[in-house]
């Protein structure tokens, strides 16, 4: 897939423009969004993603179009699982509801920057070393086993502060008072950090850990850095709206971890088979390609992804049921 520098810069420029518009609007009026507000915004982002995928299909061919949709759906499904951790972080730090949208938006901006770095590092590694697919594949299978084990456990997941958060809390003077969406304020003539600063670090570093799973996973579906980047952009753009729209539904998706574990396992196996097919390691098959190892078509992968998500959702809701009329999806106290 040939992507001109102009298209790259247009993509990055439009993404930055949308984020700036979002930040300026939300930053000026922190509030708890209504269901209608997030529904409309989410519909717009999903519509843009579908339109973009169709555009790729038309102008670059059905293969790349299928790869984009497979990557986008995978990133979106992994993002849904990540939302539960975000709910826990918000509850742990007691973030006021009217400030949660601002915290999520800044966290998403940090996530886009970090994932962009991961994507280009991954692309460089794949271009130079085809055996990196072995590492990606084994890592995803290990992650799938871990995720399935966590899904089988009845224990509630808890958020543990990482070393960076503990370092910041220990070394920097802080205030326990919230000052809107500000990350710094002045108390008694001294500049201090606010709880919003800590929450943003928590969200950003948590998403960085999520990227360790999602970036190898999407490279199992497409090797095109442009498609990897755009799939991540569209998935993250709608993450904030998903947080407010389906927060109350997350606990009903009881089989989500199993569904995602299966997807990661499937993509991990796909990566290993691809690595075997392209094998160049001298201690495996004498450095020759393993011809019997198949390359699973992307269309098959897309079918597996859609089928898994549908079965997981239907099975979960069949067990737990839909929300009652008086119960509104959204952020709940944990």
């Amino acid at each position: 897939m040939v992507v001109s520098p102009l298209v790259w810069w247009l993509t990055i420029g439009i993404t930055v423009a949308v984020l700036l518009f979002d930040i300026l609007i939300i930053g000026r009026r922190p509030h708890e969004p209504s269901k209608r507000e997030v529904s409309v915004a989410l519909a717009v982002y999903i519509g843009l993603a579908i339109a973009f995928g169709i555009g790729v299909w038309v102008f670059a061919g059905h293969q790349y179009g299928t790869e984009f949709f497979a990557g986008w759906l995978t990133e979106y499904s992994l993002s849904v699982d990540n939302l539960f951790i975000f709910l826990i972080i918000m509850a742990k730090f007691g973030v006021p509801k009217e400030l949660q949208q601002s915290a999520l938006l800044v966290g998403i901006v940090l996530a886009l920057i970090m994932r962009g770095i991961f994507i280009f590092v991954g692309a460089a590694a794949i271009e130079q070393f085809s055996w990196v697919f072995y590492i990606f594949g084994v890592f995803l299978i290990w992650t799938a086993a871990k995720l399935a084990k966590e899904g089988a456990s009845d224990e509630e997941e808890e958020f543990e502060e990482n070393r960076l958060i503990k370092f910041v809390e220990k070394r920097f003077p802080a205030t326990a008072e919230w000052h809107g969406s500000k990350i710094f304020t002045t108390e008694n003539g001294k500049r201090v950090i606010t709880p919003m600063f800590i929450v943003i670090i928590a969200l950003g570093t948590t998403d960085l850990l999520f990227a360790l799973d999602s970036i190898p996973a999407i490279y199992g579906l497409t090797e095109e850095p442009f498609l990897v980047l755009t799939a991540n952009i569209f998935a993250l753009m709608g993450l904030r709206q998903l947080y407010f729209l389906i927060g109350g539904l997350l606990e009903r998706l009881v089989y989500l971890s199993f569904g995602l574990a299966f997807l990661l396992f499937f993509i991990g196996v796909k990566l290993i088979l691809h690595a075997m097919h392209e094998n160049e390691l001298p201690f495996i098959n004498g450095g020759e390609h393993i011809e019997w190892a198949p390359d699973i078509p992307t269309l098959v992968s897309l079918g597996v992804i859609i089928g898994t998500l549908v079965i997981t959702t239907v099975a979960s809701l069949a067990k737990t049921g839909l929300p009652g009329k008086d119960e509104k999806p959204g952020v709940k106290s944990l």
Side-chain angles (χ1 to χ4, degrees):
M1 181 178 182
V2 178
V3 181
S4 68
L6 176 62
V7 174
W8 272 104
W9 284 113
L10 278 175
T11 302
I12 295 172
I14 292 173
T15 301
V16 171
V18 171
L19 287 173
L20 286 176
F21 176 79
D22 221 352
I23 290 172
L24 291 175
I25 295 298
I26 293 174
R28 290 172 57 184
R29 190 174 64 89
H31 65 288
E32 181 183 358
S34 66
K35 184 178 179 180
R36 181 180 181 277
E37 179 183 342
V38 295
S39 297
V40 170
L42 185 60
V44 170
Y45 283 130
I46 291 177
L48 288 174
I50 293 174
F52 180 85
I54 293 174
V56 172
W57 190 297
V58 172
F59 293 104
H62 73 277
Q63 174 65 27
Y64 292 121
T66 304
E67 288 179 6
F68 170 78
F69 281 117
W72 173 58
L73 285 174
T74 299
E75 293 298 318
Y76 234 126
S77 59
L78 290 171
S79 295
V80 172
D81 189 46
N82 300 346
L83 288 179
F84 188 70
I85 304 298
F86 290 172
L87 283 169
I88 295 174
I89 291 174
M90 295 294 187
K92 178 179 177 62
F93 290 100
V95 184
K97 289 185 177 181
E98 66 272 12
L99 297 180
Q100 291 180 0
Q101 193 167 200
S102 298
L104 282 169
L105 184 56
V106 178
I108 288 170
V109 172
L110 293 175
L112 280 171
I113 294 172
M114 292 185 291
R115 290 193 183 205
I117 296 172
F118 270 49
I119 288 167
F120 288 107
V121 170
I126 289 170
E127 185 176 352
Q128 295 295 323
F129 312 105
S130 61
W131 50 261
V132 77
F133 284 114
Y134 282 116
I135 298 176
F136 283 177
V138 171
F139 177 73
L140 288 181
I141 292 174
W142 175 80
T143 303
K146 182 180 177 183
L147 190 58
K149 184 178 179 180
E150 292 174 354
S153 174
D154 293 330
E155 297 180 3
E156 291 188 2
E157 195 165 3
E158 295 183 0
F159 173 75
E160 295 183 4
E161 295 184 358
N162 57 50
R163 292 183 178 180
L164 178 58
I165 296 176
K166 292 179 179 178
F167 173 81
V168 171
E169 290 178 329
K170 183 178 180 181
R171 293 299 185 93
F172 292 88
T175 176
E177 299 295 327
W178 291 88
H179 294 265
S181 57
K182 293 181 179 179
I183 60 176
F184 296 102
T185 190
T186 302
E187 284 190 352
N188 301 322
K190 189 176 183 181
R191 195 166 180 79
V192 296
I193 61 175
T194 68
M196 179 65 80
F197 186 88
I198 304 298
V199 170
I200 290 173
I201 291 180
L203 293 173
T205 53
T206 299
D207 196 86
L208 177 61
L209 295 177
F210 291 152
L212 295 177
D213 300 336
S214 64
I215 299 303
I218 194 172
Y219 267 120
L221 300 168
T222 177
E223 295 180 36
E224 292 296 330
F226 182 72
L227 297 182
V228 174
L229 178 64
T230 50
N232 271 273
I233 287 174
F234 281 113
L236 288 173
M237 284 295 193
L239 187 60
R240 178 166 50 86
Q241 286 74 23
L242 273 177
Y243 172 86
F244 288 99
L245 189 62
I246 69 171
L249 288 173
L250 286 178
E251 62 184 20
R252 286 180 165 78
L253 300 179
V254 292
Y255 297 127
L256 178 62
S257 293
F258 295 108
L260 294 179
F262 174 77
L263 283 183
L264 291 178
F265 176 80
F266 171 78
I267 298 174
V269 171
K270 183 178 186 294
L271 281 170
I272 291 177
L273 288 174
H274 177 74
M276 294 169 65
H277 189 77
E278 302 291 332
N279 179 65
E280 296 177 351
L281 293 178
F283 54 86
I284 297 179
N285 197 42
E288 300 294 328
H289 302 334
I290 302 177
E291 299 298 335
W292 61 262
D295 257 339
I296 300 176
T298 306
L299 192 59
V300 173
S301 300
L302 181 60
V304 170
I305 292 168
I306 294 175
T308 301
L309 295 178
V310 170
I311 292 172
T312 299
T313 303
V314 172
S316 295
L317 296 181
K319 181 176 181 179
T320 61
L322 290 167
K325 292 182 180 179
D326 297 330
E327 186 176 348
K328 297 180 180 179
V331 181
K332 298 174 65 178
S333 297
L334 299 177

